Amino acid sequence: MEQLIYSIAYSNWFLWVLGLFTCAILLLLRWGKDEQRDGFEIKPKLPPGSSGLPFIGETIRFLLDAKSSRRKFFDEHELRYGPIFRCSLFGRTRAVVSVDPEFNKYVLQNEGRLFESNVTASFRNIIGKYGLAGVHGELQRKIHGTAVNLFKYETLSSDFMEDIQDIFLAGMRKWEEQGDIPLQHKCHQMVLNLMAKKLLDLPPAEEMKDIYKAFDDFVGAILSLPLNIPGTSYARGIQARGILLKRIHKCIKERRQHPDVVRNDLLTKLLREGTFSDEIIADTILFLLFAGFETSSTVMAFAVKYLTENPRALEELRAEHDALLKAKGKDNEKLTWNDYQSMKFIHCVINETFRLASIVPFVSREAKQDIKVKDFVIPKGWTVYVFLSATHLDEKYHYEATKFLPWRWQNGGQEKLDDPCYMPFGRGGRLCPGLHLARFEIALFLHNFVTKFRWEQLEADRATYFLLPSMEKGFPIRLYSRADE
Ligand code: HEM
């Protein structure tokens, strides 16, 4: 009996040891596997942060903070957790926010390798299966390359200079007659006319009201709550997408039936290349419209707002452009490519407006594998929100960051265009293909606006900066022609 008890105890003891030994081996094996998989020496841990309320996360707090100050949310989180923190935002619970310029650059430059652009299903429904932001891999590289080609610096003079000036000058003549205008809305209309002309060779808005209404609804839906219920902006946008696609396919058919008609639009170029299916071309045209319309026009209106509030900057800009016109002689009104290249201070104004308005406040990416950052890990499948606006407004990287100081961009100034704390057009494989065009449009607009007009702001107007920057009343101003001076 004693022997039996002893042997049971002994066998239990033996089993305990065996069990512990097996667990230890399994743990070691697993640890080794983690180590092998990610190269970690310590057990991986998530970035610091909090998940906030269930489902809503910290979205409401983010939006409320954004109303009072554009840095509050980031300052508080950065102080508590550092520049890369876990944060449930915009319906994504497994998410990390980065306001670290070097990490932001790393994320954007590793597009397609370690990270991948991730758009929501509702956004994808609007932009379509082939809308560039939702396309990945080889196809993204091909469409992106085509877009870069369409808008490259060298094409601006031949493909855009004439049309931009014609459309902007015609627009400004009408503004002059009207006198009092909501500038932001007028800039939207003018750039929409330009994009419709350049993409599809459509005549100006007044002649095609339905199509332009559909453009408006389409862009409105992208920035709205994704509720597909009749009467909502989102539902109107889905409907508008259908109308626009029909129109684009009609244009494609016309161009095929009448190849002899000469057209200088981007649809014709895409068809001539013969690389893409009609479906891809239609979604690409729609995406270019979305990407190129509200962005540039909003920057134009914000540049005028900032100049209005900073008379010294306005006077310096006006002096540069009055001198340019004087050197050309009065009757030669239109600018040449050489004129554009001779402009200096205007680029400081444009850079500073990009920084301060931060028209694309953030971009989002999904980690394609576990990503080691400092001593923590962002697991595969998590979202990284790269907050461009937060680094643009960070006092650590830009002195007096909330002030409009275009001189900081002058030669010998402290700011550099290739710095990762300044990335208004993103970086890497999704770097904005429209960046040269955007600068060009804004420069031609500002040149004409400050040389033709003086203006006064008619009433105070509040700027909001989320989702896209906008002015609540559309920046109402009264124009005075400078021809009478
Ligand atoms: C103020 C003007 C503009 C700003 C600040 C801006 C900013 C940006 C940014 C930050 C991205 C990168 C998105 C990401 O990484 O996920 C982007 C992408 C893009 N932009 Fe722009 N943009 C502007 C104007 C334009 C214009 C005028 C066009 C074309 C007509 C354009 C076409 C595009 C396209 C097609 C993409 C998608 C690239 C891809 O996903 O491969 N943008 N833009």
Side-chain angles (χ1 to χ4, degrees):
M1 184 64 179
E2 205 178 317
Q3 186 138 16
L4 186 66
I5 293 170
Y6 178 76
S7 78
I8 290 172
Y10 180 80
S11 66
N12 267 356
W13 180 83
F14 178 74
L15 282 175
W16 269 106
V17 171
L18 189 71
L20 282 174
F21 184 70
T22 315
C23 283
I25 294 280
L26 284 174
L27 275 173
L28 273 174
L29 281 176
R30 170 147 183 81
W31 192 44
K33 216 168 141 200
D34 278 348
E35 212 178 354
Q36 257 179 1
R37 193 187 55 194
D38 302 321
F40 294 122
E41 271 147 38
I42 48 164
K43 201 162 177 241
K45 60 174 190 212
L46 292 171
S50 87
S51 305
L53 297 169
F55 186 68
I56 300 166
E58 298 201 66
T59 307
I60 294 191
R61 181 170 164 208
F62 175 89
L63 295 174
L64 288 176
D65 282 357
K67 279 200 159 201
S68 61
S69 147
R70 295 165 73 195
R71 274 286 313 182
K72 184 169 184 254
F73 184 86
F74 303 105
D75 283 339
E76 287 176 7
H77 281 71
E78 196 175 345
L79 194 67
R80 201 157 163 202
Y81 305 120
I84 302 169
F85 52 90
R86 197 156 34 90
C87 181
S88 161
L89 265 189
F90 316 133
R92 286 191 167 135
T93 47
R94 301 186 321 144
V96 164
V97 165
S98 168
V99 293
D100 179 322
E102 285 301 331
F103 185 62
N104 288 353
K105 181 175 140 192
Y106 175 77
V107 172
L108 298 185
Q109 284 190 326
N110 278 293
E111 168 70 20
R113 291 181 290 274
L114 304 178
F115 300 92
E116 196 167 82
S117 153
N118 63 346
V119 300
T120 58
S122 53
F123 182 56
R124 207 189 165 96
N125 285 343
I126 290 280
I127 62 170
K129 189 169 152 197
Y130 298 111
L132 196 44
V135 179
H136 300 113
E138 191 46 37
L139 186 58
Q140 184 270 339
R141 282 189 282 280
K142 256 176 148 176
I143 305 178
H144 186 270
T146 303
V148 168
N149 230 5
L150 290 174
F151 303 115
K152 65 175 183 250
Y153 190 70
E154 296 76 28
T155 63
L156 296 180
S157 158
S158 58
D159 291 3
F160 291 92
M161 187 122 203
E162 202 62 25
D163 284 331
I164 293 180
Q165 296 199 74
D166 285 347
I167 289 174
F168 286 8
L169 288 172
M172 286 185 199
R173 272 194 293 274
K174 281 197 191 122
W175 299 359
E176 194 171 342
E177 284 161 24
Q178 290 159 0
D180 292 357
I181 56 162
L183 183 72
Q184 183 178 271
H185 305 324
K186 294 291 177 186
C187 287
H188 284 345
Q189 184 78 65
M190 196 174 68
V191 176
L192 189 52
N193 283 349
L194 175 70
M195 291 307 287
K197 164 94 180 134
K198 291 314 302 171
L199 291 171
L200 295 168
D201 198 21
L202 293 182
E206 300 76 49
E207 296 162 45
M208 305 213 71
K209 285 215 165 79
D210 293 353
I211 292 296
Y212 281 85
K213 163 93 176 58
F215 279 150
D216 257 352
D217 287 348
F218 175 74
V219 176
I222 290 172
L223 308 174
S224 72
L225 264 183
L227 293 174
N228 199 0
I229 301 168
T232 60
S233 300
Y234 187 75
R236 274 200 301 278
I238 295 277
Q239 219 180 357
R241 173 178 162 77
I243 297 171
L244 293 172
L245 282 181
K246 227 165 142 183
R247 177 75 208 192
I248 295 171
H249 284 293
K250 189 174 162 209
C251 291
I252 293 178
K253 206 167 152 196
E254 275 167 13
R255 279 155 184 72
R256 291 227 167 90
Q257 281 172 347
H258 306 286
D260 42 312
V261 177
V262 181
R263 290 179 193 271
N264 182 22
D265 63 27
L266 301 182
L267 175 64
T268 308
K269 278 195 175 177
L270 284 175
L271 286 171
R272 233 185 269 140
E273 271 188 24
T275 319
F276 302 114
S277 67
D278 288 2
E279 207 187 340
I280 296 180
I281 290 180
D283 274 352
T284 301
I285 291 280
L286 263 190
F287 190 78
L288 288 175
L289 178 77
F290 154 67
F293 149 55
E294 191 117 348
T295 44
S296 305
S297 58
T298 303
V299 174
M300 288 171 190
F302 268 81
V304 174
K305 166 191 159 63
Y306 295 145
L307 288 168
T308 312
E309 292 161 358
N310 294 276
R312 184 161 84 88
L314 174 58
E315 280 319 304
E316 193 163 334
L317 181 66
R318 190 170 272 145
E320 174 176 277
H321 291 268
D322 281 350
L324 205 161
L325 283 188
K326 201 168 166 204
K328 285 167 71 63
K330 272 247 163 190
D331 26 329
N332 192 0
E333 208 185 40
K334 278 193 189 169
L335 293 177
T336 62
W337 184 242
N338 283 344
D339 294 331
Y340 177 61
Q341 286 183 311
S342 74
M343 298 173 182
K344 297 256 177 319
F345 187 64
I346 203 164
H347 292 293
C348 302
V349 169
I350 294 172
N351 292 341
E352 186 65 347
T353 308
F354 283 147
R355 185 188 69 79
L356 203 52
S358 286
I359 191 81
V360 178
F362 72 93
V363 297
S364 91
R365 295 291 188 266
E366 183 178 308
K368 286 179 78 179
Q369 59 184 69
D370 291 353
I371 306 289
K372 191 187 171 198
V373 208
K374 299 179 182 165
D375 63 344
F376 47 79
V377 65
I378 300 172
K380 179 179 175 183
W382 279 48
T383 293
V384 179
Y385 290 114
V386 170
F387 261 92
L388 306 168
S389 60
T391 52
H392 289 173
L393 296 170
D394 194 328
E395 295 278 339
K396 288 199 288 299
Y397 313 120
H398 310 278
Y399 64 93
E400 300 195 71
T402 52
K403 289 199 177 144
F404 181 77
L405 298 173
W407 302 276
R408 70 173 90 227
W409 295 99
Q410 267 168 343
N411 262 348
Q414 287 181 6
E415 301 283 353
K416 303 274 172 291
L417 283 175
D418 58 354
D419 211 303
C421 56
Y422 180 74
M423 299 196 290
F425 293 103
R427 273 284 164 97
R430 288 189 184 266
L431 174 73
C432 175
L435 84 170
H436 299 301
L437 175 62
R439 280 187 168 281
F440 191 51
E441 288 171 283
I442 298 162
L444 296 185
F445 163 77
L446 282 177
H447 162 84
N448 282 299
F449 196 76
V450 301
T451 51
K452 286 189 185 340
F453 302 118
R454 291 195 188 278
W455 64 91
E456 66 173 316
Q457 192 175 338
L458 289 175
E459 49 182 314
D461 198 359
R462 213 173 74 88
T464 54
Y465 287 92
F466 206 81
L467 197 56
L468 279 189
S470 179
M471 281 168 280
E472 279 173 353
K473 294 176 186 158
F475 203 61
I477 52 173
R478 176 161 300 157
L479 293 174
Y480 303 97
S481 170
R482 290 187 69 216
D484 313 328
E485 282 178 4

